C-alpha cells in the first residue's frame, strides 16, 4: 500500500509548481463602490465602471491574474490589508483614490502614483462662493478624512465644514443651494461639473498630491510588478486612453511620466494632529452630541406625550392616526428618517418656498429627526403609564366635576410620569448614543469626529477609542445618576 | 331632589337595571339596600353620569340625563358638581397630600383661588377630625382616615347631594365607626345623601329606605317598613 502510493505522491509534488504557474491567485483589489463617479460607479446596466475599474483590470492583466473587486467602506480600506488576502473581504491591494500620505506609507507598501490630483472648490455659478478666500463662515462640504478635507481645515479654518461620505449628495446639496460650496478631488469635480451645468469651479484647483495603490509591506514583489505596470501604462499611452474617456488626462498626468525616473516615494510631511488639538476637537464634537441630545429629547417627550394622550383618550379619528404614526416611526430606521428629512423633504419644500428650505440645516434636521424617532418610543412609554393608572382615579376626579382634560392633566399624568421615569431616562441615554447616526446628514458629532481623527492618526487608534468611549460615558453616567435620584425622590412621595 | 324614573341599563343581554325608580328628598338621608348584585352601585353611577343607560331618566337638582342620549361634557360637569360621590375604595389621589386632595375639586373643577380653597379644605379636614393630617399622603393614612378625607373632598365642591357606595365595606371593623360618625353628623346637618349600605343600624337612621333586587326597586318606605 505504502509502496504503491509513494510514486504517486512524488508525481504530484513534481506537478505542483507547474499547476501553480498555470493558475495564479486572483488580483483582489479593495474599493468602496459607493465612492462614486468617476472612480467607480454603476452604469445603467448595473455594471461597475469607472477609471479605477479599468485601471484595476489593466493591472490584473499585466500581472497575469484575474481582477476581483472587493468592496469595503472607504475609511476602513487600509484595515483590510491587515487580514490575509484569501479570506472573506481580504485584499491584495487597495485602489480607491487613496492619497500618498505619510501615515499610510509608514504602515503599508506603496506603489508609484497612478494619478496626480488637485483639490477643487466647486460652487454655483450664481453666487455662493467666488473663490478660495471667500469661505469664511460658508458651509463647505467635504469627504471626511480626505486630503481635501484636511486642506480646507488647515487653510480655511473659519469655513463651516460639513462632512459626508457621499460625494454625489454633496454636489446635489450645492446645486440645490443648501450648501455654499464643496471641496473635492479634481476627478470628482470634473465628473459632477458635467452633471450639474449650474455648478462651476470657484478659483483655481490647488495641486494636492497623488493617488497611489497600497499593499502589504511583505508583498514587495507585487509592489515592484505594480510599479512596472504603472510605468508601462503611463509611457505607452494606456493610462492616457483610460483617463481621456473620463476627461481626466491633463498636464499634471504628463508630469507623472517624468517622475518615473526619480526615487519614489518622495519625502513626505506628516499630517499628524497634535494632542491638544485632538482633544479640543473631540470635546467640541462631544458638545455637539450634547446639544443634539438636549435639544431633541424634550421635543421627543412632548411629541410622544401628545401622541400617547391622543391614542388613549382621543376619539377614533385621532387615536388611529396616532397608532399608525407610532408603528411607522418605530418600524423604520432612524437613518432613513434623517435622510428623508434632510435630502428628500426640502426638495418638495423648495418648490413651494426656497426660503423655507433654508431652514432644513443639518442641525435642525438632526434635532427634528431624533425627536420624531424617539417620540414614537416615548409615546409607547406614556401609553403604558397612562393605562396603568386605575380607572377609579379618573372616576373620582370626574365625580368632583373636573373636565376630561383637567382629569388627565391633574390626576392621571402626574401619576403616570412617575411610572415612566425609568424607561424614559433609559431612552434618553440611548438617544445620546444614537446621535451618531446624524453624521449621515453632515453633522460632526463625537463618533464622526472619532472616525475623522482616526483617519489621519492611524497609530493612535487605541488612545482615540478610549478617549471617545470615555467622553460618551462622562456624558451618560451623570444622566443615569440624575435618573436614579429622581426615581428615589418620587418613590418616597 | 333626585328622581330616578324607569332606569334601564343593559350589559349585552344582561339587564342590570330593569326599570328602577326612586326619589331622594332634599335634606334627607336616603338608604339603598338589597342583595349583592342587585344593581345598587350601577344605579348610583348612572345618577353621577359615570355610566350611560338605555332608557329612563335621572333628574337631579334641575339637571336631567335621558336614556339613550349621550350627555354633553358640560352637562355632565354641571350635574356632578350638584351630585358628589364617595367610593367604596376611596380613590384618593396618591400623589397629593390630604389637604391637596380636598383642594383639588375647588381648584380644578370650580376654578377657585388656591388660598380660598385651602381655607375651605382646612375647615373640612377639621370637620372630619383630620386637621392634623393635612400634610399626609394617602399611603400614610389608615383606611378610615382615607375615607374621611374622601368625604371632605366630596364636600369641598359644595354639592347639593352626595352618593355613598358602601363607604365602609372596605374598612377594618374598628374603623367603620369613625366614618359612620362623620356621615351621621352630615345627615344631622341636613346634607342630602343617598347611601348604599349593608349596615342595618345605619340604614335605620335614614328617612327613607329603598330595597333593590335584580335591577328593580322592590320596596320603598320608612326603615321600619322595609328592613
Ligand atoms: N361592566 C359590567 N359588565 C357586565 N356586567 C356588569 C358590569 N358591571 C356590573 N355588572 C353586573 O351588574 C350587576 C349589578 O352590579 P352592581 O351594580 O355592582 O350591584 P350591587 O352594587 O348591588 O352589588 C352584577 O351582576 C354585575 O355582575
Ligand atoms: Mg356594589
Amino acid at each position: 500500500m505504502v509502496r504503491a502510493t509513494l510514486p504517486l505522491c512524488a508525481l504530484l509534488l513534481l506537478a505542483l509548481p507547474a499547476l501553480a504557474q498555470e493558475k495564479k491567485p486572483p488580483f483582489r483589489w479593495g474599493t468602496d463602490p459607493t465612492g462614486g463617479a468617476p472612480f467607480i460607479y454603476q452604469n445603467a446596466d448595473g455594471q461597475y465602471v469607472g477609471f479605477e475599474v479599468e485601471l484595476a483590470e489593466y493591472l490584473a492583466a499585466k500581472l497575469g491574474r484575474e481582477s476581483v473587486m472587493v468592496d469595503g467602506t472607504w475609511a476602513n480600506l487600509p484595515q483590510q490589508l491587515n487580514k490575509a488576502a484569501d479570506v472573506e473581504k481580504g485584499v491584495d491591494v487597495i485602489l480607491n483614490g487613496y492619497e500618498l500620505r505619510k501615515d499610510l506609507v509608514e504602515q503599508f507598501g506603496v506603489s508609484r502614483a497612478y494619478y496626480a490630483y488637485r483639490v477643487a472648490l466647486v460652487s454655483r455659478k450664481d453666487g455662493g462662493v467666488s473663490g478660495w478666500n471667500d469661505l469664511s463662515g460658508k458651509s463647505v462640504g467635504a469627504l471626511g478624512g480626505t486630503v481635501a478635507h484636511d486642506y480646507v481645515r488647515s487653510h480655511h479654518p473659519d469655513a463651516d465644514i460639513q462632512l459626508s461620505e457621499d460625494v454625489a449628495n454633496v454636489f446635489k446639496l450645492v446645486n440645490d443651494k443648501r450648501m455654499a460650496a464643496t471641496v473635492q478631488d479634481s476627478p470628482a469635480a470634473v465628473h459632477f461639473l458635467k452633471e450639474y451645468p449650474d455648478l462651476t469651479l470657484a478659483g483655481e484647483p490647488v495641486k494636492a498630491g497623488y493617488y497611489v495603490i497600497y499593499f502589504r509591506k511583505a508583498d514587495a514583489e507585487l509592489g515592484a510588478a505594480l510599479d512596472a505596470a504603472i510605468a508601462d501604462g503611463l509611457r505607452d499611452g494606456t493610462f492616457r486612453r483610460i483617463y481621456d474617456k473620463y476627461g481626466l488626462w491633463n498636464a499634471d498626468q504628463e508630469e507623472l511620466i517624468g517622475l518615473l525616473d526619480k526615487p519614489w516615494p518622495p519625502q513626505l510631511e506628516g499630517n499628524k494632529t497634535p494632542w491638544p488639538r485632538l482633544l479640543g476637537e473631540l470635546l467640541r464634537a462631544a458638545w455637539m452630541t450634547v446639544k443634539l441630545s438636549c435639544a431633541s429629547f424634550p421635543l421627543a417627550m412632548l411629541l410622544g406625550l401628545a401622541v400617547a394622550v391622543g391614542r388613549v383618550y382621543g376619539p377614533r379619528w385621532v387615536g388611529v392616526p396616532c397608532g399608525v404614526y407610532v408603528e411607522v416611526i418605530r418600524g423604520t430606521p432612524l437613518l432613513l428618517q434623517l435622510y428623508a428629512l434632510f435630502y428628500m423633504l426640502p426638495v418638495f419644500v423648495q418648490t413651494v418656498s426656497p426660503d423655507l428650505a433654508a431652514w432644513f440645516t443639518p442641525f435642525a434636521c438632526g434635532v427634528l429627526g431624533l425627536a420624531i424617532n424617539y417620540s414614537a418610543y416615548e409615546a409607547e412609554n406614556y401609553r403604558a403609564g397612562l393605562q396603568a393608572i386605575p380607572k377609579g382615579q379618573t372616576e373620582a376626579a370626574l365625580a368632583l366635576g373636573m373636565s376630561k382634560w383637567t382629569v388627565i392633566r391633574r390626576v392621571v399624568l402626574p401619576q403616570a410620569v412617575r411610572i415612566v421615569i425609568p424607561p424614559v431616562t433609559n431612552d434618553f441615554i440611548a438617544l445620546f448614543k444614537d446621535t451618531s447616526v446624524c453624521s449621515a446628514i453632515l453633522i460632526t458629532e463625537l463618533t464622526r469626529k472619532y472616525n475623522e481623527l482616526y483617519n489621519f492618526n492611524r497609530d493612535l487608534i487605541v488612545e482615540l477609542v478610549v478617549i471617545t468611549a470615555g467622553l460618551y460615558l462622562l456624558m451618560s453616567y451623570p444622566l443615569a445618576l440624575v435618573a436614579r435620584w429622581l426615581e428615589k425622590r418620587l418613590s418616597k412621595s | 331632589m333626585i328622581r330616578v324614573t324607569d332606569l334601564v341599563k343593559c350589559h349585552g343581554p344582561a339587564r342590570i337595571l330593569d326599570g328602577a325608580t326612586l326619589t331622594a328628598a332634599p335634606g334627607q338621608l336616603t338608604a339603598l339596600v338589597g342583595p349583592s348584585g342587585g344593581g345598587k352601585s350601577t344605579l348610583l353611577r348612572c345618577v353621577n353620569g359615570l355610566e350611560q343607560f338605555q332608557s329612563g331618566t335621572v333628574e337631579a337638582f334641575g339637571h336631567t340625563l335621558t336614556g339613550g342620549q349621550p350627555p354633553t361634557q358640560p352637562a355632565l360637569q354641571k350635574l356632578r358638581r350638584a351630585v358628589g360621590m364617595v367610593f367604596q375604595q376611596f380613590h384618593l389621589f396618591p400623589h397629593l397630600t390630604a389637604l391637596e386632595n380636598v383642594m383639588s375639586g375647588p381648584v380644578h373643577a370650580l376654578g377657585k383661588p388656591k388660598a380660598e380653597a385651602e381655607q375651605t379644605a382646612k375647615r373640612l379636614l377639621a370637620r372630619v377630625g383630620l386637621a392634623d393630617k393635612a400634610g399626609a399622603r394617602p399611603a400614610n393614612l389608615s383606611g378610615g382616615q382615607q375615607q374621611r378625607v374622601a368625604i371632605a373632598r366630596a364636600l369641598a365642591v359644595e354639592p347639593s347631594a352626595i352618593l355613598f357606595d358602601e363607604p365602609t365595606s372596605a374598612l377594618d371593623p374598628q374603623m367603620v365607626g369613625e366614618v359612620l360618625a362623620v356621615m351621621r353628623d352630615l345627615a344631622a346637618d341636613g346634607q342630602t345623601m343617598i347611601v348604599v349600605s349593608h349596615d342595618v343600624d345605619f340604614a335605620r337612621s335614614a328617612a327613607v329606605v329603598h330595597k333593590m333586587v335584580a335591577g328593580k326597586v322592590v320596596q320603598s318606605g320608612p326603615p321600619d317598613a322595609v328592613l
Side-chain angles (χ1 to χ4, degrees):
Chain A
M1 192 61 192
V2 173
R3 223 172 285 164
T5 47
L6 254 178
L8 232 152
C9 283
L11 235 152
L12 265 171
L13 276 173
L14 278 172
L16 261 176
L19 277 172
Q21 244 167 15
E22 247 167 53
K23 186 74 189 159
K24 281 194 186 171
F27 175 63
R28 295 169 65 87
W29 54 285
T31 182
D32 185 344
T34 65
F39 299 85
I40 174 168
Y41 58 104
Q42 277 183 308
N43 66 10
D45 301 330
Q47 281 164 329
Y48 282 111
V49 293
F51 76 88
E52 287 186 341
V53 177
E54 298 194 28
L55 213 57
E57 273 156 11
Y58 161 80
L59 292 170
K62 275 282 199 186
L63 298 173
R65 295 161 69 171
E66 181 202 353
S67 162
V68 173
M69 184 190 106
V70 180
D71 63 332
T73 52
W74 189 82
N76 293 319
L77 286 176
Q79 262 49 55
Q80 277 172 252
L81 283 174
N82 292 335
K83 293 186 289 188
D86 51 2
V87 298
E88 197 184 333
K89 301 281 178 196
V91 294
D92 291 300
V93 302
I94 57 167
L95 192 171
N96 194 201
Y98 252 94
E99 308 97 338
L100 180 67
R101 267 163 44 180
K102 188 174 184 194
D103 55 334
L104 290 173
V105 168
E106 276 166 5
Q107 287 182 60
F108 303 107
V110 61
S111 76
R112 284 196 171 261
Y114 65 84
Y115 193 82
Y117 70 97
R118 293 176 178 239
V119 289
L121 183 63
V122 175
S123 176
R124 277 185 66 91
K125 283 178 180 157
D126 56 356
V129 165
S130 53
W132 287 104
N133 293 322
D134 188 25
L135 291 181
S136 173
K138 304 269 172 68
S139 51
V140 181
L143 279 184
T146 58
V147 167
H149 167 203
D150 206 36
Y151 178 83
V152 208
R153 189 176 58 182
S154 49
H155 289 75
H156 305 280
D158 42 2
D160 170 20
I161 304 175
Q162 300 188 342
L163 298 181
S164 168
E165 271 153 24
D166 191 330
V167 188
N169 261 338
V170 174
F171 278 103
K172 182 162 169 19
L173 286 171
V174 176
N175 187 59
D176 293 352
K177 297 186 183 171
R178 297 186 58 210
M179 196 183 261
T182 176
V183 176
Q184 298 285 347
D185 288 5
S186 44
V190 166
H191 178 85
F192 282 97
L193 284 178
K194 275 186 282 178
E195 212 158 283
Y196 291 110
D198 290 341
L199 298 185
T200 184
L201 286 175
E204 195 57 26
V206 179
K207 245 187 187 172
Y210 306 100
Y211 292 150
V212 292
I213 302 168
Y214 288 103
F215 51 89
R216 287 180 196 76
K217 274 223 154 96
D219 286 345
E221 217 172 298
L222 172 66
L226 288 173
D227 281 352
I230 290 171
D232 287 352
L234 280 169
R235 288 195 173 110
D236 68 14
T238 311
F239 277 28
R240 178 172 188 157
R241 191 174 41 73
I242 294 175
Y243 292 163
D244 265 339
K245 239 166 116 175
Y246 298 90
L248 296 178
W249 185 265
N250 52 33
D252 290 352
Q253 316 314 319
E254 308 266 9
E255 283 175 27
L256 284 182
I257 299 171
L259 281 179
L260 289 173
D261 302 321
K262 305 224 169 80
W264 189 262
Q267 206 59 37
L268 290 170
E269 266 177 58
N271 50 4
K272 220 179 246 164
T273 324
W275 270 112
R277 209 185 89 199
L278 271 180
L279 285 177
E281 290 196 17
L282 280 171
L283 279 174
R284 227 167 307 136
W287 174 234
M288 174 55 87
T289 296
V290 170
K291 279 198 293 185
L292 277 172
S293 318
C294 293
S296 60
F297 200 66
L299 266 176
M301 284 170 64
L302 270 177
L303 205 58
L305 183 62
V307 170
V309 169
R311 216 176 162 185
V312 176
Y313 298 109
R316 262 185 73 85
W317 60 268
V318 174
V320 171
C322 285
V324 171
Y325 172 86
V326 167
E327 295 312 333
V328 168
I329 300 294
R330 265 203 316 189
T332 51
L334 172 59
L335 183 63
L336 209 65
Q337 293 161 8
L338 287 173
Y339 278 151
L341 266 177
F342 185 68
Y343 291 113
M344 195 188 80
L345 195 59
V347 176
F348 298 115
V349 175
Q350 204 135 33
T351 59
V352 185
S353 154
D355 288 341
L356 201 61
W359 284 84
F360 288 78
T361 62
F363 184 74
C365 289
V367 169
L368 200 62
L370 285 167
I372 289 174
N373 185 265
Y374 271 77
S375 72
Y377 296 95
E378 296 329 294
E380 283 304 273
N381 283 337
Y382 285 124
R383 188 168 70 104
L386 290 172
Q387 287 174 338
I389 307 305
K391 215 173 142 216
Q393 289 289 312
T394 311
E395 292 184 346
L398 284 174
L400 288 170
M402 292 186 205
S403 73
K404 202 172 136 184
W405 291 110
T406 308
V407 173
I408 294 167
R409 201 160 95 85
R410 300 293 180 178
V411 175
V412 183
L413 270 180
Q415 296 184 54
V417 162
R418 279 145 225 255
I419 299 177
V420 303
I421 279 180
V424 167
T425 42
N426 203 32
D427 282 351
F428 191 20
I429 292 169
L431 174 129
F432 237 90
K433 291 172 287 178
D434 262 358
T435 51
S436 63
V437 181
C438 290
S439 63
I441 54 167
L442 319 181
I443 296 176
T444 300
E445 43 60 63
L446 191 49
T447 298
R448 156 53 60 84
K449 181 54 85 177
Y450 157 78
N451 265 317
E452 173 203 323
L453 292 178
Y454 143 78
N455 236 314
F456 288 116
N457 305 275
R458 285 169 190 270
D459 48 337
L460 296 180
I461 177 159
V462 177
E463 291 89 332
L464 284 171
V465 166
V466 169
I467 294 173
T468 307
L471 280 172
Y472 270 116
L473 256 177
L474 221 64
M475 294 186 286
S476 62
Y477 188 63
L479 260 178
L481 288 183
V482 169
R484 211 166 304 159
W485 174 78
L486 258 177
E487 261 171 68
K488 234 184 228 161
R489 226 191 65 145
L490 289 173
S491 69
K492 264 190 213 142
S493 61
Chain B
M1 173 73 112
I2 296 177
R3 190 195 305 274
V4 174
T5 314
D6 290 331
L7 216 54
V8 175
K9 158 100 190 156
C10 303
H11 263 298
R15 276 174 100 83
I16 292 156
L17 293 179
D18 192 9
T21 299
L22 62 76
T23 57
Q28 282 193 347
L29 170 58
T30 304
L32 196 52
V33 300
S36 178
K40 303 181 295 295
S41 298
T42 307
L43 182 92
L44 288 197
R45 293 167 60 80
C46 285
V47 172
N48 198 243
L50 290 174
E51 304 259 4
Q52 307 204 347
F53 44 92
Q54 277 73 28
S55 72
T57 55
V58 169
E59 296 164 75
F61 305 95
H63 308 285
T64 307
L65 300 176
T66 307
Q69 297 176 11
T72 64
Q73 280 294 317
L76 270 179
Q77 264 174 271
K78 274 185 205 140
L79 170 87
R80 285 166 180 159
R81 282 170 200 164
V83 183
M85 186 131 172
V86 172
F87 301 84
Q88 184 176 342
Q89 301 292 343
F90 336 132
H91 297 321
L92 288 186
F93 307 133
H95 59 298
L96 303 178
T97 62
L99 187 73
E100 289 165 341
N101 263 278
V102 182
M103 287 167 65
S104 62
V107 173
H108 300 310
L110 306 180
K112 291 244 171 82
K114 275 223 164 113
E116 188 190 327
E118 192 174 328
Q119 289 308 312
T120 314
K122 280 185 172 153
R123 184 172 48 78
L124 288 171
L125 279 179
R127 182 164 182 195
V128 298
L130 290 171
D132 55 332
K133 294 290 183 191
R137 304 250 174 201
N140 300 324
L141 296 174
S142 73
Q145 291 170 330
Q146 287 189 56
Q147 192 61 297
R148 284 188 279 154
V149 174
I151 293 171
R153 179 176 68 176
L155 285 169
V157 290
E158 296 172 15
S160 305
I162 304 181
L163 314 175
F164 292 79
D165 190 3
E166 301 199 36
T168 57
S169 297
L171 298 178
D172 292 339
Q174 70 269 24
M175 291 170 186
V176 171
E178 62 192 56
V179 172
L180 288 182
V182 166
M183 291 170 62
R184 284 204 173 91
D185 179 46
L186 286 177
D189 249 20
Q191 170 73 55
T192 310
M193 309 180 354
I194 302 179
V195 181
V196 174
S197 180
H198 292 301
D199 191 295
V200 179
D201 271 352
F202 184 80
R204 276 191 196 290
S205 61
V208 179
V209 179
H210 300 282
K211 185 172 182 180
M212 270 191 88
V213 179
K216 287 189 172 75
V217 178
V218 293
Q219 213 181 349
S220 300
D224 290 340
V226 179
L227 295 169

